[in-house]
Amino acid sequence: MVKSHICGIDQTLVDIEAPVNDAFLAKFDLLKGTSSLVDDTQAEAIYDSLMADDLISHEFAGGTIGNTLHNYSVLSDDRSVLFGVISDPIRAKGYAYKYLCNTSSKVDLDILQPVSGPIGRCFTLISEDGERTFAFNRGMANALTSENIDKDIVASASALIISAYLMRGGEGDTIEEATMTAVRYANESGTPVVLSLGTKQIIAQDPAWWLNFIDKHITVVAMNEDEAETLTGESDPLMASKKALEVADLVLLTAGAEGLYLSGYCDNSVKRITSNPLKTASVSDFNQYEFSRAMRKQDCIDPLMVFSHIEPYMGGPSSIKNTNGAGDGALSALLHDMAANHYHQQYFPKSSKHVQSALCYSSFAQVCKYSNRVSFEMLNQHSPRLSKGLPEKEDSLEEAYWEQ
């Protein structure tokens, strides 16, 4: 029986959010408005203090790849596989317990590597003036080893998803080596490797290194406008996408209030002209061929760059509580389309859709709309993880949105 799945590697962690006053921050030597690393002892002390005063407002499973896999499985109602660590034993109401409780049952956690300490914890401490202070404790989240990367799972996957966080571990961490092992398996088998940049601070340390890494190993890059500028030196989203396409095959760029861009390649012989109004910015008529399907550049005889853009769904939510997870949501929709293409290719190999080898089942324009819709759903809720799939029929929007 033909089946499909995606897989990913993540630092398993729990996000903990709480309102605090300045005295609380001073008590734990946390500088207001900054991000700090804290050791296990300090993390336990912070957590115990928050619990004692009943301050925790939200506590949910986190990690950019963990969030993306969860959202993919909710959207697709299909299997995804997470490589990472989990505390052993699992204590009721503990961090690992909370992680399991807040992850879709479609996410396969059976191969998580057991560790004898806590998983990661990220505290978001919100002051009375709205300023956010972050305290991150790695725990044993970076203890994943190469021995726990299953080659067959990676080789048979529709995609392997990694993040920039995994490639900058500390002394004694093994997760970077494990990540490179998985990337090697994917490159050898032809499994697309998807990189979520995650934070501009890591990219800013050595943009040239990242461009070289993407050129050698990565198929799809997902990033926001700040990360794109840090990577490419281009502040314009279209020009940043164009620069990124020199080293990647497909680029998903979320640009806040400006909307979302999807850029890539198709072969000139199979390009499809859009029926949507043409758009001109730094590239003239840049969406002209957005009805085409994305392909790897190496699979094109005569490669053509294709760009598509969409403004925020319904203008964006009327009230945004938290932007955390919007980009991960957009990526999960793209991954769903890539997995659908991989499944269809296995089930109907002689279909006309697979005369040319494509990365996506749908066109650039249609994937843009899907990713955009999921991003809206993430912004409309106070969690980086979907609690349910999208409605089968939209009550608040004319069908023309999907029919375009």
Side-chain angles (χ1 to χ4, degrees), residues 1-3 341-351 354:
M1 183 178 180
V2 175
K3 293 184 178 180
N341 185 65
H342 185 231
Y343 174 84
H344 192 270
Q345 191 172 32
Q346 293 179 88
Y347 208 89
F348 301 106
K350 297 186 182 299
S351 167
H354 307 301

PDB file of all heavy atoms in Angstrom, residues 1-3 341-351 354:
ATOM      1  N   MET A   1       0.844  -1.201   0.000  1.00  0.00           N
ATOM      2  CA  MET A   1       0.000   0.000   0.000  1.00  0.00           C
ATOM      3  C   MET A   1       0.880   1.252   0.000  1.00  0.00           C
ATOM      4  O   MET A   1       1.810   1.359   0.775  1.00  0.00           O
ATOM      5  CB  MET A   1      -0.905   0.006   1.232  1.00  0.00           C
ATOM      6  CG  MET A   1      -1.863   1.184   1.291  1.00  0.00           C
ATOM      7  SD  MET A   1      -2.924   1.101   2.740  1.00  0.00           S
ATOM      8  CE  MET A   1      -3.886   2.585   2.516  1.00  0.00           C
ATOM      9  N   VAL A   2       0.581   2.190  -0.901  1.00  0.00           N
ATOM     10  CA  VAL A   2       1.358   3.420  -0.991  1.00  0.00           C
ATOM     11  C   VAL A   2       1.027   4.344   0.172  1.00  0.00           C
ATOM     12  O   VAL A   2      -0.125   4.617   0.460  1.00  0.00           O
ATOM     13  CB  VAL A   2       1.064   4.132  -2.331  1.00  0.00           C
ATOM     14  CG1 VAL A   2       1.789   5.475  -2.374  1.00  0.00           C
ATOM     15  CG2 VAL A   2       1.479   3.259  -3.495  1.00  0.00           C
ATOM     16  N   LYS A   3       2.055   4.794   0.859  1.00  0.00           N
ATOM     17  CA  LYS A   3       1.874   5.741   1.952  1.00  0.00           C
ATOM     18  C   LYS A   3       2.895   6.857   1.802  1.00  0.00           C
ATOM     19  O   LYS A   3       3.897   6.729   1.089  1.00  0.00           O
ATOM     20  CB  LYS A   3       2.044   5.046   3.305  1.00  0.00           C
ATOM     21  CG  LYS A   3       0.960   4.036   3.637  1.00  0.00           C
ATOM     22  CD  LYS A   3       1.143   3.472   5.036  1.00  0.00           C
ATOM     23  CE  LYS A   3       0.037   2.488   5.387  1.00  0.00           C
ATOM     24  NZ  LYS A   3       0.196   1.934   6.759  1.00  0.00           N
ATOM     25  N   ASN A 341       2.087  15.549  -3.738  1.00  0.00           N
ATOM     26  CA  ASN A 341       2.720  15.285  -5.032  1.00  0.00           C
ATOM     27  C   ASN A 341       3.506  13.979  -5.005  1.00  0.00           C
ATOM     28  O   ASN A 341       3.439  13.169  -5.934  1.00  0.00           O
ATOM     29  CB  ASN A 341       3.645  16.448  -5.387  1.00  0.00           C
ATOM     30  CG  ASN A 341       4.253  16.302  -6.763  1.00  0.00           C
ATOM     31  OD1 ASN A 341       3.550  16.332  -7.767  1.00  0.00           O
ATOM     32  ND2 ASN A 341       5.571  16.135  -6.818  1.00  0.00           N
ATOM     33  N   HIS A 342       4.257  13.771  -3.920  1.00  0.00           N
ATOM     34  CA  HIS A 342       5.043  12.540  -3.773  1.00  0.00           C
ATOM     35  C   HIS A 342       4.140  11.318  -3.732  1.00  0.00           C
ATOM     36  O   HIS A 342       4.412  10.283  -4.368  1.00  0.00           O
ATOM     37  CB  HIS A 342       5.883  12.631  -2.492  1.00  0.00           C
ATOM     38  CG  HIS A 342       6.822  11.488  -2.300  1.00  0.00           C
ATOM     39  ND1 HIS A 342       6.887  10.765  -1.128  1.00  0.00           N
ATOM     40  CD2 HIS A 342       7.734  10.920  -3.122  1.00  0.00           C
ATOM     41  CE1 HIS A 342       7.801   9.823  -1.242  1.00  0.00           C
ATOM     42  NE2 HIS A 342       8.331   9.890  -2.438  1.00  0.00           N
ATOM     43  N   TYR A 343       3.029  11.417  -3.000  1.00  0.00           N
ATOM     44  CA  TYR A 343       2.067  10.314  -2.912  1.00  0.00           C
ATOM     45  C   TYR A 343       1.464  10.018  -4.289  1.00  0.00           C
ATOM     46  O   TYR A 343       1.406   8.870  -4.733  1.00  0.00           O
ATOM     47  CB  TYR A 343       0.963  10.685  -1.928  1.00  0.00           C
ATOM     48  CG  TYR A 343      -0.173   9.687  -1.866  1.00  0.00           C
ATOM     49  CD1 TYR A 343      -0.085   8.557  -1.051  1.00  0.00           C
ATOM     50  CD2 TYR A 343      -1.329   9.854  -2.632  1.00  0.00           C
ATOM     51  CE1 TYR A 343      -1.125   7.629  -0.997  1.00  0.00           C
ATOM     52  CE2 TYR A 343      -2.360   8.944  -2.590  1.00  0.00           C
ATOM     53  CZ  TYR A 343      -2.252   7.833  -1.770  1.00  0.00           C
ATOM     54  OH  TYR A 343      -3.271   6.914  -1.722  1.00  0.00           O
ATOM     55  N   HIS A 344       1.024  11.077  -4.985  1.00  0.00           N
ATOM     56  CA  HIS A 344       0.391  10.904  -6.291  1.00  0.00           C
ATOM     57  C   HIS A 344       1.374  10.311  -7.298  1.00  0.00           C
ATOM     58  O   HIS A 344       1.013   9.470  -8.127  1.00  0.00           O
ATOM     59  CB  HIS A 344      -0.125  12.264  -6.781  1.00  0.00           C
ATOM     60  CG  HIS A 344      -1.041  12.180  -7.963  1.00  0.00           C
ATOM     61  ND1 HIS A 344      -0.588  12.225  -9.260  1.00  0.00           N
ATOM     62  CD2 HIS A 344      -2.398  12.051  -8.040  1.00  0.00           C
ATOM     63  CE1 HIS A 344      -1.616  12.135 -10.088  1.00  0.00           C
ATOM     64  NE2 HIS A 344      -2.726  12.028  -9.384  1.00  0.00           N
ATOM     65  N   GLN A 345       2.640  10.725  -7.181  1.00  0.00           N
ATOM     66  CA  GLN A 345       3.667  10.220  -8.090  1.00  0.00           C
ATOM     67  C   GLN A 345       3.898   8.728  -7.900  1.00  0.00           C
ATOM     68  O   GLN A 345       4.123   7.987  -8.862  1.00  0.00           O
ATOM     69  CB  GLN A 345       4.963  10.988  -7.864  1.00  0.00           C
ATOM     70  CG  GLN A 345       6.033  10.760  -8.916  1.00  0.00           C
ATOM     71  CD  GLN A 345       7.209  11.697  -8.738  1.00  0.00           C
ATOM     72  OE1 GLN A 345       7.543  12.085  -7.624  1.00  0.00           O
ATOM     73  NE2 GLN A 345       7.843  12.072  -9.829  1.00  0.00           N
ATOM     74  N   GLN A 346       3.819   8.263  -6.643  1.00  0.00           N
ATOM     75  CA  GLN A 346       3.979   6.830  -6.367  1.00  0.00           C
ATOM     76  C   GLN A 346       2.754   6.043  -6.811  1.00  0.00           C
ATOM     77  O   GLN A 346       2.859   4.929  -7.324  1.00  0.00           O
ATOM     78  CB  GLN A 346       4.197   6.611  -4.864  1.00  0.00           C
ATOM     79  CG  GLN A 346       5.516   7.161  -4.334  1.00  0.00           C
ATOM     80  CD  GLN A 346       5.636   6.935  -2.841  1.00  0.00           C
ATOM     81  OE1 GLN A 346       6.108   5.904  -2.389  1.00  0.00           O
ATOM     82  NE2 GLN A 346       5.172   7.905  -2.069  1.00  0.00           N
ATOM     83  N   TYR A 347       1.558   6.639  -6.593  1.00  0.00           N
ATOM     84  CA  TYR A 347       0.313   5.923  -6.869  1.00  0.00           C
ATOM     85  C   TYR A 347      -0.047   5.947  -8.352  1.00  0.00           C
ATOM     86  O   TYR A 347      -0.583   4.969  -8.897  1.00  0.00           O
ATOM     87  CB  TYR A 347      -0.824   6.548  -6.044  1.00  0.00           C
ATOM     88  CG  TYR A 347      -1.930   5.592  -5.693  1.00  0.00           C
ATOM     89  CD1 TYR A 347      -1.866   4.834  -4.526  1.00  0.00           C
ATOM     90  CD2 TYR A 347      -3.032   5.422  -6.529  1.00  0.00           C
ATOM     91  CE1 TYR A 347      -2.877   3.950  -4.198  1.00  0.00           C
ATOM     92  CE2 TYR A 347      -4.046   4.553  -6.212  1.00  0.00           C
ATOM     93  CZ  TYR A 347      -3.970   3.813  -5.038  1.00  0.00           C
ATOM     94  OH  TYR A 347      -4.967   2.934  -4.719  1.00  0.00           O
ATOM     95  N   PHE A 348       0.236   7.070  -9.023  1.00  0.00           N
ATOM     96  CA  PHE A 348      -0.080   7.220 -10.445  1.00  0.00           C
ATOM     97  C   PHE A 348       1.177   7.675 -11.209  1.00  0.00           C
ATOM     98  O   PHE A 348       1.248   8.796 -11.707  1.00  0.00           O
ATOM     99  CB  PHE A 348      -1.200   8.247 -10.653  1.00  0.00           C
ATOM    100  CG  PHE A 348      -2.480   7.899  -9.948  1.00  0.00           C
ATOM    101  CD1 PHE A 348      -2.859   8.582  -8.809  1.00  0.00           C
ATOM    102  CD2 PHE A 348      -3.303   6.895 -10.430  1.00  0.00           C
ATOM    103  CE1 PHE A 348      -4.037   8.284  -8.156  1.00  0.00           C
ATOM    104  CE2 PHE A 348      -4.488   6.580  -9.781  1.00  0.00           C
ATOM    105  CZ  PHE A 348      -4.866   7.272  -8.632  1.00  0.00           C
ATOM    106  N   PRO A 349       2.185   6.824 -11.287  1.00  0.00           N
ATOM    107  CA  PRO A 349       3.461   7.237 -11.907  1.00  0.00           C
ATOM    108  C   PRO A 349       3.335   7.614 -13.373  1.00  0.00           C
ATOM    109  O   PRO A 349       4.170   8.356 -13.890  1.00  0.00           O
ATOM    110  CB  PRO A 349       4.353   6.000 -11.727  1.00  0.00           C
ATOM    111  CG  PRO A 349       3.399   4.859 -11.568  1.00  0.00           C
ATOM    112  CD  PRO A 349       2.221   5.417 -10.845  1.00  0.00           C
ATOM    113  N   LYS A 350       2.305   7.131 -14.070  1.00  0.00           N
ATOM    114  CA  LYS A 350       2.148   7.421 -15.490  1.00  0.00           C
ATOM    115  C   LYS A 350       1.247   8.625 -15.754  1.00  0.00           C
ATOM    116  O   LYS A 350       0.943   8.947 -16.899  1.00  0.00           O
ATOM    117  CB  LYS A 350       1.595   6.196 -16.223  1.00  0.00           C
ATOM    118  CG  LYS A 350       2.520   4.986 -16.178  1.00  0.00           C
ATOM    119  CD  LYS A 350       1.997   3.856 -17.026  1.00  0.00           C
ATOM    120  CE  LYS A 350       2.891   2.636 -16.938  1.00  0.00           C
ATOM    121  NZ  LYS A 350       4.264   2.909 -17.409  1.00  0.00           N
ATOM    122  N   SER A 351       0.834   9.306 -14.674  1.00  0.00           N
ATOM    123  CA  SER A 351      -0.016  10.484 -14.827  1.00  0.00           C
ATOM    124  C   SER A 351       0.725  11.583 -15.586  1.00  0.00           C
ATOM    125  O   SER A 351       1.953  11.734 -15.478  1.00  0.00           O
ATOM    126  CB  SER A 351      -0.427  11.015 -13.454  1.00  0.00           C
ATOM    127  OG  SER A 351      -0.996  12.307 -13.551  1.00  0.00           O
ATOM    128  N   HIS A 354       3.260  13.939 -13.969  1.00  0.00           N
ATOM    129  CA  HIS A 354       4.610  13.525 -13.603  1.00  0.00           C
ATOM    130  C   HIS A 354       5.510  13.237 -14.811  1.00  0.00           C
ATOM    131  O   HIS A 354       6.521  12.554 -14.687  1.00  0.00           O
ATOM    132  CB  HIS A 354       4.534  12.307 -12.676  1.00  0.00           C
ATOM    133  CG  HIS A 354       3.639  12.536 -11.493  1.00  0.00           C
ATOM    134  ND1 HIS A 354       3.862  13.539 -10.586  1.00  0.00           N
ATOM    135  CD2 HIS A 354       2.495  11.906 -11.106  1.00  0.00           C
ATOM    136  CE1 HIS A 354       2.904  13.517  -9.674  1.00  0.00           C
ATOM    137  NE2 HIS A 354       2.064  12.546  -9.973  1.00  0.00           N
TER     138      HIS A 354
END
